[in-house]
């Protein structure tokens, strides 16, 4: 077994790990990136990019079948070729992964080590049975994996996670989805639009990441009109019969129902990849999930020379957050113990359902009752939305009663991904509602709906 001495050892070559490695090198430290699995980030391989490829196909099918309102009639049936759909998903997915792999290939060979790392102590790692890494500092960037609740083992080989979907060669006839969060809604709706019979089951009434009761209720109604969605399902029995998944449940009409599916997609969250790292051999304090306690500003674990970034810490499992956290962790590892706070941008989250959902800044659930006003707009009669036939949606913006400052927003509606960016920039600049209303709005655009919501908030601020 050979021994390697290095300033910074980075465990994981995903988005956070690659950012940490580059930041450590930029900070003048020697760095080694350790990866035991296939190269290619979660986003490129099994996350944001392949899911958007599937959604793009679903949108094409949906729009082709919904042109009558414009006086445009498509003669004949819309035919979805499952093999062609999945061939493009896999091909383009592999292309995106290739970009990441080429980036890793560009890292000098002396800075890469293949294998699974395990802590011997705070700064000593054993990589498989071939290398001991003596580091001065360590960055944990091991990502996350889909979590599978124990009862789902009843589905045997009919149980899949989102990672499996993107390796399909064709589309199945039916899929049950457990978990109406971001992944469950995006994939469930896309599969439904591509002709797959889909039922989506949830627990507790949640829809996507929304916490505002009115916006969440609107989302539930809007999406339920398109595919079977029960965010608070009562499932009575799960199993496999004759090679198919069988679920007995209480349907939305109150009747007990039994249905069979080709697959059951578990979209029930993700778990940080920290098991097997040997963290019990370190002095790090761990939370109930076994994740090291850390400072979200510096990414440092306690006062130790260990840092954690990206999905491994499970704060905000988003690509841009992982990149920012990786840069902070790597930069601080390079100069430890003189660590400092890294960049923390205003929170922005988007769900690529149809209608889309978004959240910016503080969620409704995070705000103190009585200390803010809500500016609202429905997109049902909003001009440009009606022109395009996408007039379904509700936006709530939140403003501080005392200062008038914009605090956050939640929305389901058209072009939410674009409005989210405008609002996130406004939030990061700590603009007031009044200042936001001074900004230009063109006509006719969907952004005029945002102006309506801001005007509503401004009027309520005057009445406080």
């Amino acid at each position: 077994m050979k021994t390697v001495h290095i300033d910074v050892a980075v465990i994981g070559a995903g988005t956070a790990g690659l950012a940490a490695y580059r930041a450590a090198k930029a900070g003048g430290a020697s760095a080694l990136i350790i990866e035991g699995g296939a190269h290619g980030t979660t986003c490129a391989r099994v996350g944001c990019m392949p899911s958007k490829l599937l959604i793009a196909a679903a949108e094409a099918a949906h729009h082709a079948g919904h042109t009558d309102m414009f006086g445009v009639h498509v003669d004949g049936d819309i035919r979805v070729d499952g093999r062609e759909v999945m061939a493009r998903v896999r091909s383009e997915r592999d292309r995106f992964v290739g970009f990441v792999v080429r980036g890793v290939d560009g890292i000098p060979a002396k800075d890469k080590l293949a294998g699974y790392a395990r802590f011997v102590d705070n700064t000593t790692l054993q990589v498989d049975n071939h290398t001991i890494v003596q580091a001065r500092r360590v960055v944990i960037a091991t990502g996350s994996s889909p979590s599978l609740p124990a009862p789902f083992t009843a589905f045997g080989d009919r149980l899949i996670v989102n990672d499996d979907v993107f390796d399909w060669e064709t589309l199945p006839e039916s899929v049950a989805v457990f978990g109406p969060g971001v992944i469950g809604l995006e994939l469930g709706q896309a599969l439904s639009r591509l002709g797959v019979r889909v039922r989506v089951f949830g627990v507790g009434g949640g829809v996507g990441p929304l916490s505002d009761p009115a916006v969440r209720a609107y989302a539930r109604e809007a999406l339920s009109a398109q595919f079977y969605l029960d965010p608070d399902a009562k499932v009575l029995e799960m199993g496999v019969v004759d090679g198919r998944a069988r679920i007995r449940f209480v349907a939305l009409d109150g009747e007990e129902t039994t249905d069979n599916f080709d697959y059951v997609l578990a979209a029930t969250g993700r778990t940080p990849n920290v098991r097997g790292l040997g963290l019990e051999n370190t002095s790090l304090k761990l939370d109930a999930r076994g994740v090291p306690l850390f400072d979200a500003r510096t990414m440092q674990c306690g006062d130790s020379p260990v840092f954690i970034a990206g999905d491994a810490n499970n704060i905000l499992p988003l690509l841009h957050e992982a990149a920012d956290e990786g840069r902070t962790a790597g930069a601080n590892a390079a100069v430890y113990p003189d660590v400092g706070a890294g960049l923390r941008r205003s929170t922005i989250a988007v769900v690529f359902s149809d209608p889309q959902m978004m959240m910016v800044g503080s969620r409704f659930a995070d705000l103190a009752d009585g200390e803010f006003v809500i500016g609202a707009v429905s997109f049902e009669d909003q001009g440009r939305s009606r022109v395009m036939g996408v007039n379904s949606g509700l936006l709530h913006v939140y403003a501080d009663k005392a200062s008038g400052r914009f605090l956050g927003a939640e929305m389901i509606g058209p072009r939410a991904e674009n409005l989210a960016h405008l609002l996130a920039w406004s939030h990061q600049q700590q603009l007031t509602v009044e200042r936001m209303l001074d900004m230009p709005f063109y006509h006719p655009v969907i952004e005029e709906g945002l102006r309506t919501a801001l005007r509503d908030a401004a009027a309520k601020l005057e009445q406080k």
Side-chain angles (χ1 to χ4, degrees):
M1 189 174 296
K2 68 178 181 179
T3 299
V4 174
H5 295 272
I6 202 77
D7 290 336
V8 179
V10 180
I11 309 174
T15 298
L18 291 170
Y21 164 80
R22 291 172 183 135
K25 295 284 284 188
S30 60
L32 178 69
I33 193 160
I34 305 166
E35 176 59 71
H39 290 145
T41 63
T42 296
C43 172
R45 190 176 291 281
V46 296
C48 20
M49 300 313 290
S51 66
K52 302 314 168 285
L53 287 163
L54 192 68
I55 289 169
E59 288 178 342
H62 178 76
H63 294 321
H66 291 77
T67 61
D68 288 356
M69 73 171 74
F70 303 106
V72 178
H73 304 284
V74 178
D75 295 329
D77 295 332
I78 306 299
R79 184 177 64 87
V80 174
D81 187 312
R83 289 193 175 277
E84 291 181 9
V85 168
M86 295 312 301
R88 180 174 188 266
V89 168
R90 295 195 311 276
S91 174
E92 288 296 308
R93 182 270 311 273
D94 292 346
R95 181 170 174 268
F96 289 123
V97 171
F99 294 149
V100 180
V101 172
R102 283 195 290 276
V104 176
D105 288 344
I107 296 173
K110 67 180 179 61
D111 289 355
K112 295 181 289 188
L113 183 60
Y116 291 94
R118 180 177 175 83
F119 282 90
V120 176
D121 57 40
N122 279 8
T123 54
T124 304
L125 304 171
Q126 179 175 329
V127 180
D128 291 344
N129 291 316
H130 55 70
T131 307
I132 294 293
V133 177
Q134 295 283 358
R136 291 185 174 89
R137 281 83 69 183
V138 177
V139 176
I140 301 170
T142 46
S144 64
S145 301
S147 61
L148 294 172
F152 286 6
T153 58
F155 292 120
D157 64 0
R158 298 296 88 195
L159 180 66
I160 60 171
V161 295
N162 61 290
D163 302 31
D164 302 315
V165 170
F166 307 120
D167 284 326
W168 281 345
E169 292 190 357
T170 190
L171 295 169
E173 185 275 330
S174 58
V175 174
V177 179
F178 279 88
V182 176
I183 295 172
L185 289 180
E186 287 186 350
L187 295 184
Q189 183 180 49
L191 292 172
S192 177
R193 287 184 165 186
L194 289 167
V196 178
R197 184 172 60 80
V198 171
R199 290 187 190 266
V200 179
F201 302 98
V203 176
V207 180
L210 300 172
S211 73
D212 187 310
V215 181
R216 186 171 59 213
Y218 194 106
R220 176 175 182 168
E221 183 175 350
L223 296 174
S224 294
Q226 301 182 47
F227 57 93
Y228 185 95
L229 169 62
D230 186 352
D232 194 17
K234 185 176 182 181
V235 176
L236 306 174
E237 188 177 1
M238 303 186 296
V240 176
V241 177
D242 296 330
R244 304 188 75 207
R246 175 165 293 181
I247 303 173
R248 186 165 62 89
F249 59 98
V250 177
L252 292 170
D253 60 7
E255 294 295 320
E256 185 177 310
T257 303
T258 298
D259 204 349
N260 298 320
F261 302 90
D262 293 329
Y263 293 103
V264 173
L265 170 61
T268 48
R270 296 181 70 87
T271 301
N273 292 332
V274 293
R275 294 185 63 184
L277 283 179
L279 291 171
E280 66 276 9
N281 299 325
T282 70
S283 64
L284 304 180
K285 294 182 179 179
L286 310 179
D287 66 14
R289 303 166 302 166
V291 177
L293 300 178
F294 67 100
D295 185 331
R297 300 168 304 157
T298 65
M299 316 315 298
Q300 184 181 14
C301 301
D303 60 359
S304 76
V306 180
F307 301 81
I308 186 167
D311 290 7
N313 66 42
N314 208 35
I315 293 184
L316 293 167
L318 302 166
L319 180 138
H320 65 277
E321 296 285 353
D324 285 347
E325 290 181 3
R327 281 190 289 270
T328 297
N332 279 332
V335 299
Y336 172 85
D338 299 320
V339 303
L343 174 63
R344 274 291 181 191
R345 307 173 204 259
S346 289
T347 303
I348 177 173
V350 176
V351 182
F352 291 86
S353 54
D354 184 12
Q356 292 182 342
M357 301 180 209
M358 69 86 167
M359 294 196 311
V360 164
S362 296
R363 304 180 308 152
F364 175 89
D366 297 330
L367 298 172
D369 189 35
E371 296 184 6
F372 68 101
V373 300
I374 299 176
V377 63
S378 166
F379 286 87
E380 293 177 4
D381 289 319
Q382 198 275 324
R384 183 66 185 280
S385 300
R386 288 197 68 88
V387 166
M388 297 189 296
V390 291
N391 51 310
S392 174
L394 177 66
L395 165 64
H396 278 185
V397 297
Y398 314 123
D400 181 64
K401 279 187 176 181
S403 65
R405 185 167 63 88
F406 169 63
L407 299 175
E410 296 192 29
M411 173 188 179
I412 178 168
R415 305 276 177 88
E417 61 181 298
N418 304 116
L419 294 180
H421 283 83
L422 292 180
L423 289 172
W425 295 347
S426 299
H427 183 270
Q428 189 153 316
Q429 295 178 75
Q430 300 185 357
L431 298 185
T432 63
V433 168
E434 181 182 11
R435 185 75 182 94
M436 293 166 73
L437 283 169
D438 287 341
M439 301 299 176
F441 289 84
Y442 201 74
H443 174 78
V445 293
I446 284 176
E447 284 74 8
E448 289 177 296
L450 168 58
R451 182 176 61 185
T452 300
L454 292 171
R455 285 174 172 171
D456 186 39
K460 291 172 180 174
L461 287 170
E462 290 180 359
Q463 298 168 3
K464 69 181 189 299

